[in-house]
Amino acid sequence: MSTPELPQPAWRKSSHSGGDEGNCVEIADLNNRIGIRDRKNPAAGHVTLTRQNFTSLVAHLASQP
């Protein structure tokens, strides 16, 4: 019996990432979780957060000067 192949996540560049200066992150909807990875090095893996923790992270970052 073979294991069905999981669909590849649709990674997208964050709208808050800069232009071409190399400080870009990508995010992907991983069903009940959100993945975050370095756009320059996607093979390095990603961080996975719950949707609630992702929302808290974004709120915290938005509150920083």
Side-chain angles (χ1 to χ4, degrees):
M1 177 186 274
S2 65
T3 304
E5 196 171 311
L6 296 174
Q8 292 294 321
W11 292 95
R12 64 180 179 86
K13 181 177 153 184
S14 169
S15 61
H16 293 285
S17 289
D20 292 326
E21 64 269 358
N23 295 323
C24 298
V25 296
E26 293 180 315
I27 59 173
D29 182 352
L30 305 175
N31 294 322
N32 293 327
R33 305 221 182 277
I34 301 294
I36 305 170
R37 71 179 183 183
D38 182 349
R39 186 172 191 198
K40 299 180 309 281
N41 191 7
H46 63 275
V47 174
T48 304
L49 300 173
T50 65
R51 290 182 180 278
Q52 181 179 7
N53 287 343
F54 178 76
T55 301
S56 296
L57 173 64
V58 171
H60 173 74
L61 294 173
S63 71
Q64 301 303 303

